[in-house]
Amino acid sequence: MLRTQGRRGEVAAELHTVSWERFPSGCRVFALDGHNQRRQFVVEDSWPHKGMVVLKFGGIESISQAEALIGCEIQVPRSERLPLAAGEVYVSDLVGCAVFDRGAEVGRIAEVRFGSGDAPLLVVKAGDKEHLLPFAAAYLVKMDTEGKRLDMNLPEGMLELDRRVIENL
């Protein structure tokens, strides 16, 4: 969550889903803080605002209570997820997937980062190496989240990009 919004404990959150409507009234969510501590909340109301979603949680009634949630990640339990349309995927289903480029294993997705461009970045780790790969339809050949595998066709030299920058420092 990015900031407080309003005077009754509302918070504005960056939206990493197709629609703010994924947070209906009565939806149970968890707020994960930077110390891996989770707090459970029930959504009382939600609405779109300037490219974000504003959330009103039960039990959060003031700006000071809402301030404690700044920086938390909102997580929806698997049991309460809404069905996805074709071509959509939950971020949590990507984490742990093995990434293959033209059949060769690159590594496993450790996290997904947003906000650095049009496409989210897959943080793919293989031993002590880390690759930042755009999760873009243009590079995706096949996605099997149940089988924990992504097949990609990455542009030539993309996997060496991060290494060259580090070597040149």
Side-chain angles (χ1 to χ4, degrees):
M1 290 180 268
L2 299 176
R3 59 183 167 80
T4 60
Q5 178 71 38
R7 290 184 262 177
R8 293 185 210 100
E10 301 94 341
V11 291
E14 190 173 28
L15 197 57
H16 296 293
T17 185
V18 176
S19 172
W20 63 271
E21 293 167 323
R22 296 228 183 254
F23 299 99
S25 294
C27 173
R28 185 173 54 106
V29 298
F30 292 96
L32 177 68
D33 68 19
H35 303 290
N36 283 331
Q37 300 295 313
R38 280 190 179 91
R39 290 177 56 196
Q40 182 175 314
F41 294 98
V42 174
V43 175
E44 285 185 356
D45 200 3
S46 65
W47 61 92
H49 180 69
K50 297 182 180 180
M52 295 183 281
V53 61
V54 176
L55 299 165
K56 172 65 177 98
F57 298 120
I60 303 295
E61 304 300 329
S62 69
I63 293 173
S64 61
Q65 287 176 314
E67 285 173 342
L69 299 175
I70 302 304
C72 288
E73 174 183 296
I74 295 298
Q75 301 175 329
V76 178
R78 286 185 190 277
S79 63
E80 296 193 27
R81 290 193 209 176
L82 297 176
L84 294 172
E88 295 178 347
V89 64
Y90 283 105
V91 169
S92 61
D93 290 340
L94 290 173
V95 174
C97 285
V99 176
F100 292 82
D101 178 34
R102 295 178 182 89
E105 187 169 353
V106 175
R108 294 203 172 266
I109 300 172
E111 67 177 291
V112 180
R113 293 184 187 158
F114 293 87
S116 59
D118 290 339
L121 291 176
L122 302 175
V123 178
V124 179
K125 294 190 176 184
D128 61 345
K129 293 181 184 177
E130 180 178 282
H131 300 284
L132 302 176
L133 306 177
F135 185 57
Y139 306 139
L140 189 61
V141 175
K142 184 178 176 187
M143 180 170 52
D144 176 11
T145 55
E146 285 184 26
K148 292 301 207 182
R149 181 180 175 124
L150 260 68
D151 287 285
M152 303 183 84
N153 189 0
L154 299 169
E156 202 63 41
M158 182 174 278
L159 294 174
E160 288 79 32
L161 210 61
D162 292 333
R163 189 176 49 162
R164 279 193 226 131
V165 170
I166 291 168
E167 288 172 356
N168 290 331
L169 290 178

